[in-house]
Amino acid sequence: MPKPESFAIDKIYVPVKRKKALKPELVREIAESILEIGQQAPILVRPDEGRFVLVEGLHRFEACKALGEKTVIGILVSAEIVHQKTLLSDSAEAEAERDKMARLKKLRLEKEAAERSAAASEVVMETQSAVLLRKSSEKEIRNNPKASRSQENRGTSGSTPRTLSEWITQQKRDGGRY
């Protein structure tokens, strides 16, 4: 493993893409820690045409810079190691994304299944309610001693009245106009 060394802060270039991930509150916390115990973990830099490019340790680098330091402790790594790290992190990110998508798909399927089950049970409940209502109305007509023969027949078989007087009685009872 390469040995940590001191690098001039003004000779280190931070890629724009890395700067977007900067969290000022984290820089403040690290700066306080550096004031108390010093820089414990070195940053990683790689050589690039007379300067160094920051590979890892953006918040530590910015904390040292904010404290007014002229140098920062770092380790010089080769471009091949950086490339391998990038490939590993890319494959890890892809794996994490695949896992996330699989979890989302599973949740979506579970939700759809629950919705279908709820809809099916609702239909069953409506059907059972209709059957119970029909049975109770049939029992009412059969158990009613004042019910005429035509009411009993109409309740069970749905037949029409046989005489004009039965029809008029049915119309009056049902609120119809004759």
Side-chain angles (χ1 to χ4, degrees), residues 79-98:
E80 293 93 36
I81 292 174
V82 172
H83 183 67
Q84 287 173 356
K85 259 190 151 187
T86 304
L87 290 177
L88 287 174
S89 68
D90 286 349
S91 67
E93 287 175 14
E95 180 77 22
E97 187 67 22
R98 280 192 297 275

Side-chain angles (χ1 to χ4, degrees), residues 12-13 16 24 31-33 35 38 71-73 75 82-83 85 90 92 94 100 127 132 134 145 158 160-161 164 172:
I12 298 175
Y13 168 74
V16 176
E32 289 172 5
S33 172
L35 278 175
T71 61
V72 63
I73 298 171
I75 297 175
V82 172
H83 183 67
K85 259 190 151 187
D90 286 349
K100 178 181 172 186
T127 305
L132 289 174
R134 188 169 14 104
T160 57
L164 180 60
K172 284 181 182 177

Side-chain angles (χ1 to χ4, degrees), residues 116-136:
R116 283 193 302 270
S117 175
S121 69
E122 188 175 311
V123 168
V124 167
M125 293 300 287
E126 287 174 1
T127 305
Q128 288 175 343
S129 296
V131 167
L132 289 174
L133 186 62
R134 188 169 14 104
K135 284 183 179 179
S136 68

